[in-house]
Amino acid sequence: MPAVTVENPLTLPRVTAPADAVARPVLAVTTAPGGFEGEGFPVRRAFAGIDYRHLDPFIMMDQMGEVEYAPGEPKGTPWHPHRGFETVTYIIDGIFDHQDSQGGGGTITDGDTQWMTAGSGLLHIEAPPEHLVVSGGLFHGLQLWVNLPAKDKMMAPRYQDIRAGSVQLLTSPDGGALLRVIAGELDGHAGPGITHTPITMVHATLAPGAEITLPWREEFNGLAYVLAGRGSVGTERRPVRLGQTAVFGAGSALTVRADEKQDAHTPDLEVVLLGGRPIREPMAHYGPFVMNSKDELMQAFEDFQKGRLGTVPAVHGMTEAGPEA
């Protein structure tokens, strides 16, 4: 799991919560069910079973892989529409190509993030490049959906290509953890991702036995999803493992600890920490559209069916695409 790393974390700025910070309790730990997305790549549905009031402004998150593809096996998603939210695709291992109906796109690989603000809507496709399909190889990543407030749902689409080298790197006081700030800020250290809805997104790697207690904005919610390894969350040390999400309650600091002994194939605890300011608006979500009302959802489907969200480029030999669930 390379993402982005450093040889000596102690060369990085160090972060810890102040002594008077209020520890966030752990409200729940859920286990992500498995499923398949797009053309059939395996995913874990990280937020399944969590009440939306604890997720807001996040909508859903899939852990894609970790899977070792044989030659000819790598898969992606077909052309599909989006409107009303932002998709955040973070590639830890492997390569993904992206293209949209407005001519945008690019390639993201180890540690890169593509932040797509769908806004008023477009069509897009995500797939492994042809050479990876031929050779096979390791693929692992995340896709997170972040809601947009009503005032921004119909804004023009926007992209941010966040390269691994631009991510803000931090560590814990003892150097036992590597913190990658992808978006938002942590203890005054800002990541490169610019968001319409204020959030913080951090990928943390904790060595066996390491513990972090991080300052966390009180107006944000708090979530921790385990990408790999075993550990515990909260001062009560609630156990967590691969594929589980911890939901934190109110407070100004959150704690994560790696177990002393990890699985043979997983040397460290890998966890994604998420927090955001709740939007607290009505949400109507169906398939690829996230709006504020049923009428707006119906309008989104009508606009898609009438080609108002764009058309698939002619190079693909198509003029339209069906909706994705």
Side-chain angles (χ1 to χ4, degrees), residues 12-266:
L12 302 172
R14 305 179 195 189
V15 176
T16 191
D20 61 352
V22 177
R24 287 178 173 248
V26 178
L27 302 181
V29 172
T30 63
T31 301
F36 293 91
E37 187 55 82
E39 297 170 333
F41 57 84
V43 298
R44 288 185 176 90
R45 308 290 191 188
F47 295 161
I50 300 175
D51 192 306
Y52 182 65
R53 65 193 172 94
H54 297 310
L55 296 177
D56 186 14
F58 307 110
I59 301 163
M60 58 151 274
M61 186 169 73
D62 284 345
Q63 180 181 9
M64 305 179 294
E66 178 176 7
V67 59
E68 182 75 42
Y69 284 120
E73 285 187 345
K75 300 175 177 67
T77 65
W79 284 93
H80 58 281
H82 284 309
R83 172 181 279 181
F85 63 102
E86 300 182 286
T87 62
V88 182
T89 306
Y90 175 47
I91 298 299
I92 300 167
D93 291 292
I95 308 172
F96 235 24
D97 287 341
H98 164 85
Q99 186 179 1
D100 69 56
S101 54
Q102 298 190 354
T107 298
I108 50 177
T109 186
D110 303 343
D112 294 339
T113 301
Q114 183 177 78
W115 203 292
M116 185 183 83
T117 303
S120 60
L122 42 62
L123 307 180
H124 82 147
I125 186 173
E126 297 161 301
E130 185 61 29
H131 70 84
L132 183 62
V133 175
V134 172
S135 67
L138 184 62
F139 180 74
H140 189 198
L142 285 177
Q143 186 166 96
L144 171 71
W145 289 15
V146 185
N147 202 4
L148 287 170
K151 65 182 180 64
D152 292 328
K153 282 194 177 292
M154 295 300 286
M155 68 174 291
R158 183 185 73 175
Y159 293 92
Q160 300 172 69
D161 282 317
I162 302 171
R163 297 302 166 186
S166 68
V167 169
Q168 174 70 62
L169 300 180
L170 307 169
T171 191
S172 52
D174 62 0
L178 176 61
L179 309 171
R180 307 167 187 86
V181 184
I182 297 168
E185 62 86 26
L186 184 62
D187 197 28
H189 301 276
I194 300 169
T195 66
H196 292 279
T197 302
I199 75 165
T200 294
M201 180 178 182
V202 178
H203 174 191
T205 299
L206 285 75
E211 181 174 292
I212 52 174
T213 297
L214 303 178
W216 210 250
R217 291 173 59 171
E218 292 187 69
E219 73 272 27
F220 280 16
N221 60 354
L223 301 161
Y225 176 74
V226 180
L227 290 165
R230 297 176 177 272
S232 59
V233 288
T235 55
E236 60 269 52
R237 294 197 174 185
R238 185 88 171 263
V240 289
R241 55 177 169 78
L242 166 64
Q244 292 190 319
T245 301
V247 179
F248 290 91
S252 57
L254 55 81
T255 297
V256 178
R257 187 181 187 280
D259 284 357
E260 294 281 355
K261 186 175 181 181
Q262 297 293 328
D263 299 332
H265 66 284
T266 304

